[in-house]
Amino acid sequence: MAISEKYGRTYHFPFSPGTTSDDRIQHNYWQYISTIPALIHTEKLDGENNCLSRHGVFARSHVAPTTSPWTETLRRYWQLIKNDLGDLEIFLENVYAIHSIAYKNLDHHFYVFAVRENGQWLSWEETCFYAAMLDLPVVPVIKKLPAPTSQQSFESDLLDIVNGPGAFAAHDAFTGAPATMEGVVTRDAGSYPVSSFAEHVFKYVRKGHVKTDVHWTRNWKRARLNYEGGQYVDYQ
């Protein structure tokens, strides 16, 4: 039995080309997204989904806390804050280990993207508040927008966004060539129940993004920071 509930699968937009055989697609996304008063586009980073809660530091599975070497500094940081978390579950993107994208403009290895508390996903404003309280950055915000009125304009705008390099200067981890961002996550800026997750969060992932295989963990490399020695929780 899992210690806590893991992060749900984010449904792809139907025009997202980077789907795999086990991905889910929200074909009816427009009926949901057009009724959300305020939306946030954030950059989807190429890392590992981690969760900090009073129970420990978790990767994708919440059956048991993670012990991976690329979460070692995060687990040390958790020791300092675990008694202050209460019912908060802090979800963040861990880019400590390089996957398919090597970021050339990183100030930090861990970026908060969501906070859950008692069956509710907190608003983006609350997410930023708790991230700041914990001295952690949030994932890059690309754009804030009101409820869209034109599906064609919404999709066209999103396609323009994903052709950029992103906030952290994305490069292909294997060739070293400049690359476009992995994708975009579009979320409801307000709070919403965990049970309604699929109606409030959507993603676009570029085609051919994943180039690593299940053996990447054997020869993983640490992502370099702009100011080596790091800030916040990375003490190396």
Side-chain angles (χ1 to χ4, degrees):
M1 179 181 293
I3 296 174
S4 63
E5 184 179 350
K6 68 180 182 179
Y7 191 80
R9 281 189 175 274
T10 304
Y11 282 54
H12 282 258
F13 286 112
F15 54 96
S16 169
T19 56
T20 59
S21 58
D22 64 341
D23 281 330
R24 298 175 182 176
I25 300 172
Q26 184 56 275
H27 293 284
N28 298 321
Y29 88 92
W30 185 250
Q31 75 179 62
Y32 301 120
I33 213 166
S34 60
T35 64
I36 297 174
L39 296 167
I40 304 279
H41 286 323
T42 61
E43 182 175 349
K44 187 179 187 305
L45 299 178
D46 184 27
E48 179 179 80
N49 181 318
N50 286 160
C51 173
L52 308 179
S53 77
R54 67 175 184 265
H55 302 295
V57 179
F58 298 88
R60 206 64 176 83
S61 169
H62 283 214
V63 173
T66 183
T67 58
S68 65
W70 49 89
T71 58
E72 194 271 333
T73 57
L74 189 60
R75 286 183 278 117
R76 279 195 279 136
Y77 172 69
W78 173 80
Q79 291 288 345
L80 302 176
I81 65 165
K82 61 182 180 180
N83 295 324
D84 298 323
L85 291 173
D87 293 326
L88 294 173
E89 296 172 277
I90 312 296
F91 287 83
L92 51 84
E93 197 74 38
N94 178 348
V95 294
Y96 191 96
I98 298 172
H99 293 243
S100 296
I101 294 176
Y103 295 108
K104 303 295 187 180
N105 186 31
L106 283 177
D107 287 340
H108 202 286
H109 283 131
F110 311 107
Y111 294 87
V112 175
F113 62 84
V115 178
R116 185 171 64 194
E117 183 180 29
N118 296 323
Q120 190 82 2
W121 288 108
L122 302 188
S123 70
W124 183 249
E125 182 179 5
E126 292 170 300
T127 298
C128 293
F129 172 80
Y130 283 116
M133 288 287 288
L134 295 170
D135 217 10
L136 291 168
V138 296
V139 292
V141 174
I142 299 170
K143 190 175 184 179
K144 299 179 181 180
L145 58 157
T149 57
S150 166
Q151 183 174 356
Q152 182 178 359
S153 296
F154 175 82
E155 294 183 4
S156 177
D157 184 49
L158 190 55
L159 291 174
D160 286 341
I161 289 172
V162 296
N163 286 323
F168 301 138
H171 284 66
D172 188 294
F174 301 94
T175 67
T180 57
M181 68 178 76
E182 179 188 345
V184 171
V185 175
T186 303
R187 62 154 287 169
D188 187 338
S191 62
Y192 47 89
V194 169
S195 58
S196 300
F197 179 82
E199 301 167 12
H200 294 265
V201 186
F202 317 88
K203 67 181 178 182
Y204 178 101
V205 178
R206 64 174 168 84
K207 186 176 182 180
H209 155 62
V210 178
K211 296 183 179 180
T212 51
D213 59 24
V214 294
H215 305 298
W216 73 269
T217 57
R218 296 178 183 174
N219 300 300
W220 69 277
K221 294 181 179 179
R222 173 186 178 276
R224 291 184 60 83
L225 298 175
N226 288 331
Y227 308 100
E228 278 298 352
Q231 299 181 60
Y232 307 104
V233 302
D234 188 354
Y235 300 113
Q236 291 190 4

